[in-house]
Amino acid sequence: MSPRRSPTYSIYDRSSGICICSVPIPEKTNEIPESQRLLSMMDLKGCLITFDAMNTQKKTCQVIKERKGHYIGGLKENQPGLLADARDSFTEEAIKKCGSKPGKNYLKTTEKMHSQIETRHYYRVDAWHEPSGKDDVWQGLRSFVMVRKECESLITSRKSTETRYYISDLTDISVLADGIRGHWSVENCLHFSLDYTMNQDKDTTTDKKADLHMGMIKKMALSIIRLAKPMLGNKSLKLTGKMIGMDVERVMPAIFMSLSRESIRKALSCVE
């Protein structure tokens, strides 16, 4: 992102591949209060909200639980006490115990990505955190999750290991693993697609407001392209966009007519 680009906060629906909300971040603040404000207005019943370590905040978890949702949040040094509790929970004995119960507290996945083999080990233990006061309560917290990622290059055979920690109000290791892995689809499916399909990084707009509005329009257009993709033969996003542009009067009505009443109702009721 170039220095001139206006910072925005986006909420992305992984199941549909659509950005359902994108708002500017006011000056002299950051995305934390903006995310809490947006989440407090949404119907989150049955939804799993994933976020990075920056948004792992007590109030964020509280808002999600109040709106009947579930959460998975990354852990880093911005929450030192909770991170220490998570690290201390995964002793060698605890890891061995998790490994003895595959499918319950342990899950292993292996995939080929970017000329390397990536193996992920997911471990889950019951979360234990002693509040230091009434304001140190993580609402709904039930699980600490440790993910150990092992990579081996198919070209150089070089190996590397990375360990990350997460918190959640869920206990199902399959759901936790899928949510953690799926969180990065925001980068792969939204940001990359905006750059590749819409040439966002090549945008030379210098006016901040115009840049903000163009960013929102591009996300809306990308959502429409994703909806049209299966109707137009599942071509690439870039080619699908061109096909829509060549026959927009026919394709656009067909897209909206294909939506069910239930999907429209959910879209309209997303923000109260």
Side-chain angles (χ1 to χ4, degrees):
M1 181 181 292
S2 62
R4 60 169 173 77
R5 183 142 290 163
S6 301
T8 60
Y9 180 79
S10 300
I11 296 179
Y12 180 79
D13 178 16
R14 178 191 168 200
S15 63
S16 64
I18 289 176
C19 177
I20 60 176
C21 184
S22 184
V23 295
I25 299 175
E27 293 184 7
K28 299 181 180 180
T29 187
N30 56 49
E31 66 183 57
I32 295 174
E34 199 61 27
S35 68
Q36 294 167 352
R37 182 184 71 82
L38 290 174
L39 290 170
S40 69
M41 296 189 295
M42 301 182 75
D43 177 10
L44 303 178
K45 187 175 181 179
C47 296
L48 173 57
I49 312 301
T50 64
F51 41 85
D52 57 19
M54 182 178 184
N55 283 288
T56 299
Q57 307 289 332
K58 300 179 189 70
K59 185 176 179 180
T60 302
C61 296
Q62 178 184 345
V63 167
I64 292 171
K65 294 303 295 178
E66 288 175 349
R67 303 304 295 170
K68 310 299 183 184
H70 301 285
Y71 65 83
I72 299 176
L75 269 182
K76 286 188 177 179
E77 298 296 341
N78 61 322
Q79 298 292 347
L82 197 60
L83 177 60
D85 287 344
R87 283 174 173 164
D88 292 344
S89 296
F90 289 100
T91 61
E92 288 300 322
E93 181 181 352
I95 292 173
K96 185 177 180 180
K97 186 176 180 181
C98 288
S100 68
K101 297 180 179 180
K104 184 176 181 181
N105 291 323
Y106 171 73
L107 187 69
K108 176 183 175 181
T109 64
T110 302
E111 58 187 309
K112 180 181 177 182
M113 294 284 290
H114 309 299
S115 299
Q116 64 182 14
I117 299 296
E118 298 183 357
T119 302
R120 290 176 175 81
H121 303 270
Y122 298 87
Y123 302 90
R124 189 208 77 86
V125 298
D126 292 335
W128 182 88
H129 174 67
E130 184 175 355
S132 58
K134 64 179 182 178
D135 295 327
D136 187 24
V137 176
W138 295 85
Q139 192 163 329
L141 177 60
R142 298 180 67 187
S143 297
F144 286 140
V145 183
M146 181 179 78
V147 182
R148 184 166 291 164
K149 175 183 173 183
E150 300 170 348
C151 299
E152 181 176 0
S153 173
L154 295 175
I155 300 173
T156 65
S157 296
R158 181 180 178 183
K159 297 181 180 180
S160 63
T161 301
E162 179 184 35
T163 302
R164 293 175 181 263
Y165 297 90
Y166 300 84
I167 62 170
S168 180
D169 66 325
L170 299 174
T171 59
D172 188 314
I173 190 64
S174 297
V175 175
L176 291 166
D178 183 65
I180 291 169
R181 187 73 182 101
H183 177 75
W184 302 107
S185 63
V186 177
E187 179 65 36
N188 296 331
C189 297
L190 178 60
H191 298 159
F192 174 78
S193 295
L194 284 172
D195 181 28
Y196 179 74
T197 308
M198 304 290 181
N199 294 317
Q200 178 146 301
D201 284 352
K202 296 180 181 179
D203 193 333
T204 58
T205 305
T206 56
D207 183 271
K208 286 189 175 182
K209 283 190 175 180
D211 178 68
L212 175 65
H213 294 158
M214 282 299 298
M216 292 182 177
I217 291 171
K218 288 176 180 178
K219 288 172 184 174
M220 291 173 63
L222 184 61
S223 297
I224 292 173
I225 291 172
R226 289 193 183 280
L227 289 172
K229 188 176 177 181
M231 299 171 55
L232 298 176
N234 280 314
K235 308 294 184 182
S236 69
L237 291 175
K238 182 171 283 191
L239 182 56
T240 301
K242 290 181 179 179
M243 293 172 70
I244 293 174
M246 292 170 63
D247 197 8
V248 66
E249 292 184 359
R250 181 187 69 85
V251 176
M252 289 300 291
I255 292 173
F256 293 113
M257 288 176 66
S258 69
L259 299 176
S260 66
R261 179 178 296 181
E262 180 64 16
S263 65
I264 296 174
R265 186 194 67 78
K266 286 183 178 181
L268 294 176
S269 65
C270 183
V271 178
E272 297 178 344

